[in-house]
Amino acid sequence: MSETTEERIDRHAARGGIGTPTFEPRTRDGWIFLAGLLLFWVVYNGPPVPELAGIDLRLGMAGPASSNAWKWLGALLLIALVLWGERRGLASLLITKPTSKDIEWAFSAFGGVMAWSWIASLVAPQEENSGVATITSMSIAGVLLLIVTAAVTEEVAFRGYLQERLGSLLHSRWIGAAVSLVIFIAPHVVFFGPSWLFHQLVGTLALVAFTLIRRNLVATMLLHFLINAPILIPTVLAKL
């Protein structure tokens, strides 16, 4: 399918400077954004109630795994809203083919985050907490699915949609990034405890900075996956 003029404009705008909005908002975008926020809630929190009319909305699952299907559904509906509601292309979500440089930067950023994690573990080893215990008690396959789900759906919701839409509506990518960052941090602190900030905030800041600089969500998803992947180590050890 050939690229439309508007999609081409969006694609070039998405690659603009760090502070440049992804696109020039139209009058209807504010109303569409309200619908997007409802879908964002699905990715952020899963189903609003455990069951409806006797139907188990968590599909018989408990813990973090219960929201996996809802995160995928919410992310796909957000993409559908952008394509058919906003009439914008995937590039407006920063979903484009990554370059070899994007991939190289993702691995370099991961190396920096891991270096900080090592230093942080020497300065103040992370305390045992219920959040980590909950994840490591899951099966290895379950944790891997959780990591992939978070890397893909959270990047679509937080960086691709919320950060970029707020950035364009408020004419500042910095504001969009700051608001998205705060909302992203909150549930992680609640789940993993305050020590998460010292050990993992650097990784979250790396995701935000990487998205602002490289402007490629697929590469950001890779970085997100790499940053979360080490949780597999205590999961495997727990099984042994």
Side-chain angles (χ1 to χ4, degrees):
M1 183 182 295
S2 60
E3 186 178 49
T4 66
T5 301
E6 186 170 335
E7 288 173 336
R8 186 162 57 253
I9 291 173
D10 284 344
R11 178 166 55 81
H12 287 296
R15 276 287 185 180
I18 293 178
T20 307
T22 303
F23 54 82
E24 185 63 33
R26 300 168 298 212
T27 303
R28 64 176 182 172
D29 284 339
W31 294 104
I32 296 176
F33 180 64
L34 293 179
L37 288 180
L38 293 177
L39 297 176
F40 175 82
W41 174 268
V42 174
V43 179
Y44 182 71
N45 273 331
V49 292
E51 64 176 57
L52 182 65
I55 300 175
D56 181 8
L57 297 182
R58 297 188 182 277
L59 307 178
M61 298 182 181
S66 65
S67 63
N68 280 344
W70 287 92
K71 286 187 174 184
W72 285 105
L73 175 63
L76 290 173
L77 289 177
L78 273 176
I79 291 174
L81 179 69
V82 169
L83 294 178
W84 291 292
E86 294 182 351
R87 299 290 182 181
R88 288 193 169 91
L90 292 176
S92 70
L93 290 170
L94 308 182
I95 300 177
T96 58
K97 182 179 179 180
T99 65
S100 58
K101 204 69 176 177
D102 291 330
I103 302 301
E104 181 182 327
W105 272 81
F107 278 98
S108 296
F110 170 64
V113 172
M114 287 301 98
W116 166 255
S117 294
W118 177 70
I119 293 172
S121 66
L122 294 178
V123 174
Q126 190 165 8
E127 301 173 358
E128 292 290 332
N129 62 74
S130 59
V132 173
T134 297
I135 292 179
T136 56
S137 66
M138 298 170 60
S139 68
I140 296 174
V143 174
L144 184 58
L145 177 59
L146 195 68
I147 293 172
V148 173
T149 297
V152 176
T153 64
E154 289 180 4
E155 290 309 317
V156 169
F158 284 92
R159 252 69 66 178
Y161 188 78
L162 186 62
Q163 176 176 301
E164 294 303 306
R165 291 308 175 272
L166 282 176
S168 290
L169 291 171
L170 301 177
H171 302 284
S172 171
R173 278 182 181 163
W174 293 106
I175 296 177
V179 173
S180 177
L181 174 64
V182 171
I183 296 176
F184 183 84
I185 288 173
H188 287 81
V189 173
V190 171
F191 188 75
F192 291 107
S195 65
W196 180 91
L197 286 171
F198 180 66
H199 289 268
Q200 304 299 333
L201 179 59
V202 168
T204 302
L205 292 174
L207 291 173
V208 175
F210 186 87
T211 307
L212 288 171
I213 295 171
R214 297 308 303 173
R215 312 301 296 151
N216 187 279
L217 199 68
V218 177
T220 308
M221 291 174 184
L222 171 61
L223 177 58
H224 195 148
F225 174 85
L226 292 172
I227 290 174
N228 283 355
I231 193 66
L232 282 168
I233 297 174
T235 301
V236 172
L237 291 177
K239 304 299 178 289
L240 298 176

